[in-house]
Amino acid sequence: MARTISFSTALNEAMRLAMQKDENVILLGEDVAGGATVDHLQDDEAWGGVMGVTKGLVQEFGRDRVLDTPIAEAGYIGAAVSAAATGLRPIAELMFNDFIGSCLDEVMNQAAKLRYMFGGKAKVPLTIRTMHGAGFRAAAQHSQSLYALFTHIPGLKVVVPSTPADAKGLLLASIFDDDPVIFFEDKTLYNIRGEVEEGFYTIPFGKADIKREGDDLTIVAIGKQVHTALQAAKMLQEKGIETEVIDPRTLSPLDEETILLSVAKTGRLIVVDEANPRCSVATDISALVADKGFDYLDAPIKMITAPHCPVPFSPALEDLYLPTPEKVLRAAAEIIGDETIVPV
Amino acid sequence: MTVARSQSIALTKEKARWMYQKMNEIRQFEDKVHEIFSKGVLPGFVHLYAGEEAVAVGVCAHLTDKDYITSTHRGHGHCIAKDCDLNGMMAEIYGKATGLCKGKGGSMHIADVSKGMLGANGIVGGGFPLAVGAGLTAKLKKTGAVTVCFFGDGANNHGTFHEGINLAAIWKLPVIFVAENNGYAESTPFEYASSCRNIADRAGAYNIPGEVVDGKDVIAVYEAAKRAIERARNGEGPTLIECKTYRNYGHFEGDAQTYKTPEEKRRHLQELDAIEKFRNYLLASQLCSEQELVEIEQNVAKAIEKAVTFAENSPFPTEEDLLRDVYVSY
Ligand SMILES: Cc1ncc(C[n+]2csc(CCOP(=O)(O)OP(=O)(O)O)c2C)c(N)n1
Ligand SMILES: [Mg+2]
């Protein structure tokens, strides 16, 4: 049975189900339980993560399986890598993806490499959940979207969900996957609501979701930008243009086929990615289509991304930094060759 | 380890007045930001320093604009103690073009390099190596400057704490590491997260002096900082000072603070208040009169009101600012 729940409740539910199903699943991170060793604190009053996403898990599974860590990312993320390699199935929370600077070695040189370097004799069933995304007025060190960094590294899988239902199914798939997965949660999506099935289900990696079908234009969008794309698609529909919106959902592995088939049908591609533009997922998907789908194209590929600058704090600047439906419409007008599409 | 309390001091009247003014500026600034934030006017994350004034002020009382400090996500107090402009600070928190960082940094990144303030920092533990680098510059260029690295109890478990202090120790750099042990890192108690009884105990591992100080006693902090800064200026290397303190508000604005007990809150906010304690001292020692203190408090209140008006009336940055200052040249 499906109910309408929030993105953050869907994630919480996925972790609860995983921990019920397999006692090897543990959760560790800063304040994921909260208030460790505080006598008066009932576990249901504990933080449950800085955004409350892991609330209630310590109550059900106890502090042996829901571990608050010191602020020592290299230490506990590295420990989670090895715990995974030796029999546990940890979910490690890296509060903000920006903090990867404190533990990149553990992810890039340990988690990503063990299996290959050891000739296939190790596996690292680790999920690192981490918050990303601009729009929260959280400034340059708490707003980045760094999924391209991880997509670049062989051995890591990378997941960026855009809806509550996808978030739940993809998180369960991540936890029970035998490879290290970096799971991105956009902090501005936690409160969006959507229909989510009860009970255990997984969504396979490498399977894009077509969020909306159309014949005139393909938009591939990442994470929260799927919603920007859908808004743009609605505005375009009013101008008589049918847009196909594709959410890759996993960036590694990437569902190349769904993207290429769509461009073969529409002949036009816009990629919407709020990360910085150089060496990005936007350039990666554009290169894919230029390389394997050049003959399908009727117009140049367009990328709507952040500019090449850090995320600014001021709301006035951050609003300019992010992609918007209007920016998408301007690009659509250009490649369709119809200036009347642009909103005035 | 014993907790150092103030003993004999030689505070000039001028210094005492400056310290009382700065402590009041911090308290009133933070109370005001708390009030405005609760109305939903201010964007982003805000971490308030109220309750910890004695630490920033007791230490920075020894510094000039030539000396450096590194700060934390809880940086407003360090900024004020380092004499940063209140109008520019408030405007920054509002995200205005007239802010100290032209609206690009916000509360968590407030900085003014011209004042030796190397920035609040969104990365816990980010300040240690930055302080070491500033210390290296001072040593090699023989500027005579010292650098103070403020950090929280949570940060003392981060790898950069250990790497930074070790570097400063082997190179005998003029750096003072000042722990602000307010008992919690977000909702996690210091006692849970740290294997040491005191942060200062860790100094022994790096062969540098470590000292625990009552961080609510501005004179005790002032004295400990004086000793450490003299050592640093004499080329004797770094010191680790741990100030036991308390944050009066939540970790960030919006924190329900369920991990605190009502009793500890009452004790800290009512009995152990650092400003009240210093005020009583100033009166008892006859360094200041009641009238002088009231005057300082009132002037501070006016300055804070002025800062809010300045921030509210300032313009936001515009599109040309978005790509400015990514590089010096590109
Ligand atoms: C590397 C890194 N990890 C985690 C965080 C999230 N975070 C911000 S402040 C904080 C607690 C810091 O505690 P403490 O050092 O005691 O400073 P206090 O807030 O008490 O002043 C945490 C975990 C961060 N900003 N940077
Ligand atoms: Mg603390």
Side-chain angles (χ1 to χ4, degrees):
Chain A
M1 252 265 293
R3 316 117 307 146
T4 300
I5 59 175
S6 71
F7 196 89
S8 102
T9 305
L11 292 167
N12 185 285
E13 198 168 277
M15 285 183 270
R16 187 182 303 275
L17 288 165
M19 294 185 80
Q20 284 167 354
K21 188 181 162 80
D22 182 350
E23 64 180 17
N24 289 317
V25 178
I26 63 162
L27 172 66
L28 70 169
E30 291 151 17
D31 301 274
V32 289
T37 68
V38 174
D39 282 342
H40 72 269
L41 200 61
Q42 302 296 310
D43 278 336
D44 62 345
E45 295 169 357
W47 269 32
V50 73
M51 297 293 189
V53 179
T54 52
K55 208 164 174 55
L57 296 177
V58 68
Q59 239 177 325
E60 183 167 344
F61 303 105
R63 287 189 181 264
D64 281 345
R65 289 180 68 197
V66 181
L67 295 118
D68 283 337
T69 66
I71 307 171
E73 288 82 6
Y76 79 83
I77 296 281
V81 173
S82 181
T86 53
L88 293 175
R89 196 171 274 285
I91 308 165
E93 179 176 300
L94 179 63
M95 195 184 290
F96 290 81
N97 77 161
D98 315 69
F99 306 163
I100 190 61
S102 292
C103 57
L104 187 55
D105 183 71
E106 287 61 37
V107 178
M108 175 175 72
N109 283 327
Q110 312 302 334
K113 305 286 197 281
L114 288 194
R115 181 168 182 81
Y116 189 80
M117 285 192 312
F118 295 175
K121 288 183 180 156
K123 60 178 186 178
V124 182
L126 165 67
T127 302
I128 297 177
R129 292 179 41 244
T130 191
M131 249 191 287
H132 76 109
F136 207 75
R137 318 317 190 189
Q141 297 174 340
H142 285 71
S143 304
Q144 297 168 86
S145 284
L146 297 173
Y147 32 71
L149 190 65
F150 301 94
T151 306
H152 184 70
I153 300 173
L156 301 176
K157 292 176 178 169
V158 180
V159 180
V160 192
S162 68
T163 68
D166 285 353
K168 178 177 168 183
L170 288 166
L171 182 54
L172 278 165
S174 302
I175 295 167
F176 290 101
D177 193 280
D178 282 341
D179 288 314
V181 178
I182 319 297
F183 188 94
F184 285 86
E185 302 168 10
D186 190 309
K187 61 182 84 63
T188 64
L189 287 182
Y190 281 136
N191 292 327
I192 68 156
R193 297 169 68 78
E195 290 223 327
V196 178
E197 286 295 330
E198 276 176 3
F200 190 99
Y201 67 91
T202 58
I203 293 173
F205 287 0
K207 187 92 200 60
D209 191 35
I210 299 176
K211 297 289 183 200
R212 182 184 196 288
E213 287 186 28
D215 292 332
D216 302 326
L217 167 69
T218 300
I219 302 181
V220 179
I222 316 301
K224 177 174 66 171
Q225 297 312 323
V226 168
H227 301 282
T228 307
L230 287 169
Q231 270 175 278
K234 223 164 140 191
M235 292 155 84
L236 285 165
Q237 187 175 39
E238 287 162 20
K239 312 271 180 181
I241 292 154
E242 291 301 336
T243 306
E244 185 139 297
V245 176
I246 297 179
D247 176 358
R249 300 196 291 198
T250 65
L251 302 178
S252 188
L254 180 69
D255 182 353
E256 299 187 355
E257 194 188 353
T258 300
I259 296 170
L260 289 167
L261 279 176
S262 177
V263 177
K265 178 172 67 172
T266 64
R268 292 181 174 84
L269 173 65
I270 298 175
V271 186
V272 189
D273 173 10
E274 72 164 79
N276 294 118
R278 302 290 313 279
C279 300
S280 63
V281 171
T283 56
D284 186 61
I285 289 173
S286 302
L288 162 77
V289 173
D291 180 12
K292 298 185 185 166
F294 189 75
D295 291 342
Y296 307 144
L297 288 168
D298 297 327
I301 300 165
K302 290 287 159 193
M303 292 181 276
I304 306 296
T305 68
H308 185 61
C309 68
V311 184
F313 165 69
S314 179
L317 294 180
E318 196 181 28
D319 289 346
L320 294 168
Y321 174 94
L322 280 165
T324 59
E326 290 71 25
K327 289 180 189 171
V328 177
L329 255 62
R330 244 172 273 144
E334 201 182 320
I335 58 176
I336 291 170
D338 179 356
E339 276 307 311
T340 66
I341 291 171
V342 181
V344 274
Chain B
M1 210 172 253
T2 54
V3 177
R5 293 182 202 287
S6 48
Q7 305 143 15
S8 59
I9 50 139
L11 259 194
T12 62
K13 181 177 171 94
E14 194 194 350
K15 187 63 80 180
R17 282 180 58 100
W18 180 88
M19 286 164 69
Y20 189 71
Q21 179 189 325
K22 287 290 153 188
M23 289 176 81
N24 274 275
E25 281 178 9
I26 296 174
R27 176 67 55 87
Q28 293 194 35
F29 188 93
E30 297 297 60
D31 285 349
K32 181 57 81 180
V33 172
H34 173 78
E35 179 195 320
I36 302 169
F37 191 91
S38 66
K39 291 181 193 152
V41 179
L42 295 177
F45 292 115
V46 175
H47 308 83
L48 300 179
Y49 194 76
E52 307 185 23
E53 297 86 354
V55 182
V57 172
V59 173
C60 292
H62 300 283
L63 306 181
T64 72
D65 287 358
K66 264 182 45 206
D67 298 308
Y68 287 109
I69 64 169
T70 64
S71 171
T72 68
H73 54 286
R74 201 174 299 291
H76 304 172
H78 306 133
C79 255
I80 292 174
K82 200 74 175 63
D83 260 339
C84 292
D85 175 50
L86 292 177
N87 290 356
M89 284 185 62
M90 194 63 90
E92 188 59 33
I93 294 170
Y94 272 78
K96 297 296 182 79
T98 54
L100 286 183
C101 308
K102 301 180 184 164
K104 286 189 172 147
S107 165
M108 238 190 313
H109 306 290
I110 273 193
D112 189 347
V113 177
S114 68
K115 289 279 182 187
M117 163 56 177
L118 294 178
N121 210 311
I123 303 299
V124 170
F128 299 109
L130 299 178
V132 171
L136 187 61
T137 301
K139 184 178 172 183
L140 297 188
K141 293 173 83 91
K142 301 190 173 55
T143 64
V146 299
T147 302
V148 175
C149 171
F150 292 102
F151 65 98
D153 51 284
N156 100 105
N157 299 311
H158 201 270
T160 49
F161 167 92
H162 302 276
E163 298 191 21
I165 294 183
N166 187 60
L167 268 176
I170 63 166
W171 290 337
K172 284 216 180 324
L173 299 180
V175 180
I176 299 90
F177 296 95
V178 178
E180 304 178 315
N181 188 344
N182 58 16
Y184 300 97
E186 298 192 341
S187 74
T188 299
F190 165 70
E191 292 75 17
Y192 168 80
S194 293
S195 63
C196 51
R197 286 259 315 279
N198 301 295
I199 295 170
D201 295 343
R202 292 185 164 171
Y206 302 102
N207 225 349
I208 63 168
E211 190 173 344
V212 180
V213 176
D214 176 359
K216 294 289 189 110
D217 180 346
V218 70
I219 293 163
V221 175
Y222 180 81
E223 290 175 336
K226 186 163 187 282
R227 290 188 285 276
I229 289 168
E230 271 171 16
R231 282 192 74 240
R233 293 209 203 272
N234 289 336
E236 293 168 56
T239 303
L240 173 56
I241 300 172
E242 174 180 6
C243 303
K244 304 276 191 193
T245 183
Y246 194 77
R247 61 168 150 75
N248 288 356
Y249 290 114
H251 170 64
F252 47 42
E253 287 305 272
D255 172 9
Q257 307 175 61
T258 48
Y259 48 88
K260 292 181 175 176
T261 65
E263 166 55 20
E264 81 179 45
K265 273 168 95 166
R266 191 196 55 74
R267 215 161 50 82
H268 278 286
L269 271 65
Q270 290 169 27
E271 286 170 27
L272 301 174
D273 186 70
I275 298 181
E276 199 60 35
K277 186 182 172 89
F278 189 44
R279 195 178 202 286
N280 292 337
Y281 169 83
L282 292 173
L283 292 173
S285 63
Q286 298 186 328
L287 266 169
C288 297
S289 69
E290 173 68 26
Q291 196 195 335
E292 281 175 290
L293 296 182
V294 169
E295 210 170 278
I296 291 175
E297 290 155 13
Q298 288 173 344
N299 286 341
V300 168
K302 277 185 220 147
I304 302 294
E305 280 310 328
K306 215 180 94 214
V308 173
T309 310
F310 174 81
E312 284 176 349
N313 293 338
S314 288
F316 278 107
T318 56
E319 188 149 13
E320 308 86 77
D321 298 313
L322 188 61
L323 283 168
R324 187 171 294 153
D325 292 329
V326 181
Y327 301 96
V328 174
S329 66
Y330 190 57

